């Protein structure tokens, strides 16, 4: 594609972080590499970016000792994979066992398949991977990776080093109060840069004002039968907000997520349709996202529910496409209007041949079926450029914006439009 026709997304440092809360910055960093020259290249880049608390370790054993004895803990570790004493895979295992694990940037000359496998392993062990960089590491690539750093959650939200889990009683009480809240992550048309919609993402607001992510309560809701009323609450909040935005002249579509249990309730299509009518939301402004794994509970009932949603004019999106076991079968059976490619095949796809191949195949399939495409997990300008060249319609991810409270959305949209 000719670059003169490419949309110009605003830089991450401005529009994507222009919410009421400024982005956190890593304070303590550790560079792990057995090559002194490689460490010096990274250190010089960090110096230019204003990072002053940077330590070095010349191998895996030294890194383990440094991380375990550090006080305060390291925020970010930038590490190689291949080292003579303790390799990067072993190092990740050690990091994952720490009470407060560092966030990881992999910097290596290994081939792309090894880097991709290492990244996946780190994530599987619960580590946050900020980036996977090829050597020699550039300042811009390092800056982009570090922009995704998120400060560790407050200790008050943890128990024994893990995330606090809500009890059934807390969840039941919260459903009757304002504890359940919704954050919104913008979606942007890649070709034009126009903001098209937002995804509604449930959060839990503690009494002290801190926010808990879905991992703290979704499994509890599913195990106790409270997922259905939780979905109803989220849908009501999101659609009411969509109506308010539309009345204020902010034309945004909103997507809401359905659980497997919602798909097993044949009353769901009528209930969401009634909510849409009561709030005066245009039905074409509502998108229901369904993970393909959720369709396996009771296929006949799922087909019933999904088809009736489609008949009522509600758009259907197959979420996390490619992560289940029968993606093709689901597309054949159900009248989806959108295919949403999972972040596993999007983030840094340009440097991961297998992910790129799956991404291209997914886009080609969607285009042949005549349905729209959305990519989640856009974290860099390179991700954006690649997806636009491949013909992806809509994107979302931290490069564009992190999830934000409803009150921050209008200001963010305005700043995004100005910046582009």
């Amino acid at each position: 594609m000719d670059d003169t026709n490419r949309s110009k997304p605003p830089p991450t440092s401005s529009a994507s972080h222009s919410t009421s809360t400024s982005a956190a910055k890593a304070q303590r960093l550790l560079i792990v590499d057995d090559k002194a020259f490689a460490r010096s290249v990274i250190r010089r880049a960090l110096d230019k970016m204003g990072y002053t608390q940077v330590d070095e370790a010349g191998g895996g054993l030294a890194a383990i000792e440094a991380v375990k004895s550090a006080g305060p803990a390291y925020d970010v570790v930038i590490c190689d994979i291949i080292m003579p004493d303790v390799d990067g895979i072993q190092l990740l295992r050690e990091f994952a066992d720490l009470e407060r694990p560092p966030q990881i940037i992999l910097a290596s000359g290994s081939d792309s398949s090894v880097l991709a496998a290492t990244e996946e392993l780190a994530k599987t062990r619960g580590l946050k991977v900020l980036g996977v960089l090829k050597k020699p590491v550039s300042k811009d690539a390092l800056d982009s990776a570090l922009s995704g750093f998120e400060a560790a959650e407050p200790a008050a939200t943890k128990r024994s080093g893990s995330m606090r889990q809500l009890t059934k009683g807390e969840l039941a009480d919260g459903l009757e109060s304002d504890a359940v809240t919704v954050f919104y992550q913008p979606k942007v048309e890649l070709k034009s840069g126009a903001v098209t919609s937002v995804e509604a993402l449930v959060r839990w607001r503690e009494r002290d004002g801190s926010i808990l992510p879905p991992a703290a309560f979704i499994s509890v809701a599913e195990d106790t039968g409270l997922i259905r009323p939780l979905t109803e609450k989220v849908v009501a909040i999101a659609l009411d907000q969509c109506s308010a935005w539309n009345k204020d002249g902010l034309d945004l579509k909103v997507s809401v997520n359905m659980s497997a249990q919602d798909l097993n309730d044949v009353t769901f299509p009528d209930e969401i349709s009634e909510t849409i009518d009561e709030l005066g939301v245009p039905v074409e402004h509502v998108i229901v996202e369904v993970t393909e794994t959720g369709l396996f509970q009771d296929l006949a009932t799922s087909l019933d529910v999904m088809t009736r949603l489609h008949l009522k004019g509600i758009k259907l999106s197959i979420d996390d496409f490619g992560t289940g076991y029968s993606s093709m079968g689901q597309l054949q059976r159900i009248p989806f209007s959108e295919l949403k490619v999972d972040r596993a095949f999007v983030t840094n796809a340009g440097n991961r041949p297998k992910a790129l191949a799956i991404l291209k195949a997914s886009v080609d399939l969607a285009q042949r079926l005549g349905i729209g495409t959305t990519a989640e997990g856009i974290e860099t300008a390179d991700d954006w450029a690649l997806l636009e060249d491949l013909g992806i319609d809509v994107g979302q991810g931290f490069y564009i914006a992190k999830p934000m409270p409803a009150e921050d959305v209008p200001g963010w949209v305005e700043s995004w439009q100005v910046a582009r």
Side-chain angles (χ1 to χ4, degrees), residues 22 94 106 121 145 158 198 233 304 311 314 325 344 371 408:
S22 59
E94 294 285 342
L106 299 172
L121 172 63
K158 293 187 174 185
V198 293
K233 181 115 181 176
D304 182 313
L311 290 174
I314 298 171
Y325 298 100
I371 63 178
D408 290 346

Side-chain angles (χ1 to χ4, degrees), residues 47-319:
D47 286 344
K48 291 178 181 178
M49 287 185 278
Y51 290 95
T52 58
Q53 299 182 58
V54 180
D55 295 331
E56 297 180 24
L61 288 175
I64 292 171
E65 182 179 349
V67 168
K68 288 186 174 181
S69 62
Y74 287 107
D75 295 315
V76 175
V77 172
I78 305 166
C79 66
D80 193 5
I81 297 175
I82 302 175
M83 291 177 287
D85 51 1
V86 172
D87 61 47
I89 307 300
Q90 294 171 292
L91 208 53
L92 294 175
R93 189 190 310 146
E94 294 285 342
F95 292 160
D97 289 337
L98 296 173
E99 182 173 346
R100 185 192 156 190
Q103 295 174 41
I104 307 297
I105 296 177
L106 299 172
S108 177
S110 301
D111 66 68
S112 298
S113 62
V114 173
L115 287 171
T118 305
E119 178 184 14
E120 187 63 29
L121 172 63
K123 292 178 179 178
T124 301
R125 291 194 179 281
L127 297 169
K128 180 175 176 60
V129 179
L130 300 176
V132 180
L133 311 181
K134 295 285 286 185
K135 289 182 178 178
V137 175
S138 71
K139 174 180 173 295
D140 288 345
L142 196 55
D143 191 21
S144 178
L146 286 166
S147 70
F149 173 78
E150 293 182 309
E153 60 180 299
T157 67
K158 293 187 174 185
R159 284 181 183 167
S160 303
S162 61
M163 185 181 300
R164 181 173 106 74
Q165 296 291 302
L166 298 184
T167 65
K168 179 181 179 181
E170 287 176 315
L171 185 57
D173 291 342
L175 287 169
E176 301 299 325
S177 67
D178 59 355
V180 176
T181 187
V182 176
F183 276 34
Y184 300 88
Q185 186 171 30
K187 299 180 183 180
V188 174
E189 187 178 78
L190 296 181
K191 186 175 182 179
S192 67
V195 183
T196 62
S197 57
V198 293
E199 180 178 1
L201 300 166
V202 64
R203 299 288 188 268
W204 184 272
R205 191 181 303 278
E206 296 272 58
R207 291 182 179 179
D208 64 1
S210 60
I211 300 295
L212 294 182
F217 55 88
I218 289 296
S219 61
V220 177
E222 291 175 336
D223 293 343
T224 59
L226 292 174
I227 191 67
R228 188 72 178 84
L230 178 60
T231 299
E232 291 175 357
K233 181 115 181 176
V234 172
V235 168
I237 293 172
L239 295 186
D240 185 56
Q241 185 61 65
C242 180
S243 176
W245 282 330
N246 287 338
K247 289 175 183 177
D248 289 339
L250 185 58
D251 187 24
L252 289 176
K253 297 176 183 176
V254 64
S255 61
V256 294
N257 294 278
M258 286 180 64
S259 73
Q261 292 183 35
D262 296 322
L263 288 173
N264 287 329
D265 188 341
V266 294
T267 67
F268 182 79
D270 292 320
E271 291 177 2
I272 190 172
S273 183
E274 289 173 5
T275 302
I276 289 170
D277 291 341
E278 289 173 3
L279 296 173
V281 177
V283 70
E284 61 271 16
H285 277 42
V286 182
I287 304 166
V288 167
E289 295 189 13
V290 185
T291 56
E292 55 178 301
T293 51
L295 300 172
F296 286 100
Q297 303 290 319
D298 182 340
L299 184 56
T301 303
S302 295
L303 285 170
D304 182 313
V305 171
M306 300 292 281
T307 305
R308 292 193 67 234
L309 286 169
H310 178 75
L311 290 174
K312 292 177 179 296
I314 298 171
K315 295 181 179 180
L316 305 177
S317 174
I318 182 167
D319 196 10

Side-chain angles (χ1 to χ4, degrees), residues 372-385:
T373 48
T374 292
E376 58 182 353
I378 299 177
E379 296 192 357
T380 66
D382 287 342
D383 288 343
W384 177 303

